Amino acid sequence: PIISSQGATWAGLYHVSDMWVLESSAGDMGNAYRWLKETTLGGGDEAYGEMDELAATAPLGSGGARTFLGPWRMDVSRLGMRQGGMLFPVPLTLGGFGRPHLIRAALEGFAFALRANVEQLEEVTGQRHGTIAVGGGMTRSSAFVRILVDVLGVPIRLGADPRSTAVGAALCARLALDEYSSLSQAIMSLKPHVDTIEPDPLNASEYADLYGAWLEAGNDLSRMPI
């Protein structure tokens, strides 16, 4: 399976030689994270680094905070807008919530949405995959990558260049120009550096419970009229 996270986020299963794909799109992640940056910190792209630092100071589970900022399990029968937002325990004077909790909760929500789509693919194919390749703009966030691998509970393969979609499109164009004899040859020409990141078993176990609670809360929200 391959997960990409540039703008609209999707998880997909690819078969290179036959060129078919099974896709389960989580939706708009990159723009949702940009909105959160502009709302909480403002500033330019340098603010993303500060968000990573803030997220790292919040506890796993974000102290009970949950976010639903767009990405969700793909369901073409229910397209369009739905209720979402941020949930956290109140009163705020007792919770000690701040930007670190909200930022980490957003990253955890994104990871939960990707897990939901990966599980949907596994349900359709009847296969469970032991390693998942990850690319896209959100992989620039080290906090998100760490959260994602623990939420998925399986190793992830992460390339050095986050621009996976653009690079793949360029390779397809060069294949069309007969610069390569096959897509496999084009991919091998890159000689990409890929790191394999392993999940933390304790974190993965805790996230399994939090994922179930996140799904339940999201389903409750989806039944609320807009």
Side-chain angles (χ1 to χ4, degrees), residues 88-217:
F88 39 81
V90 292
L92 292 174
T93 52
L94 300 179
F97 283 96
R99 285 183 297 185
H101 298 80
L102 296 180
I103 293 170
R104 185 179 182 95
L107 295 176
E108 290 176 338
F110 295 159
F112 291 150
L114 287 174
R115 174 170 171 171
N117 283 276
V118 169
E119 289 182 349
Q120 184 160 252
L121 287 171
E122 292 176 343
E123 181 180 352
V124 170
T125 62
Q127 301 178 41
R128 177 167 174 79
H129 299 271
T131 303
I132 296 178
V134 179
M138 286 297 298
T139 61
R140 296 177 186 270
S141 167
S142 59
F144 175 65
V145 170
R146 185 66 257 169
I147 290 170
L148 179 62
V149 68
D150 288 338
V151 167
L152 294 176
V154 297
I156 63 173
R157 298 174 67 244
L158 177 66
D161 191 338
R163 300 169 298 178
S164 54
T165 304
V167 172
L171 289 179
C172 289
R174 295 179 68 180
L175 176 63
L177 295 172
D178 295 325
E179 293 186 24
Y180 299 107
S181 60
S182 68
L183 191 55
S184 296
Q185 183 190 43
I187 293 170
M188 293 303 297
S189 71
L190 292 177
K191 298 179 180 179
H193 174 75
V194 178
D195 291 322
T196 299
I197 305 173
E198 300 283 343
D200 180 289
L202 293 179
N203 290 350
S205 177
E206 189 168 351
Y207 270 130
D209 293 334
L210 293 171
Y211 169 65
W214 182 86
L215 278 179
E216 183 178 356

Side-chain angles (χ1 to χ4, degrees), residues 63-74:
R66 299 169 189 158
T67 64
F68 303 87
L69 299 181
W72 185 245
R73 180 173 47 209
M74 185 177 185

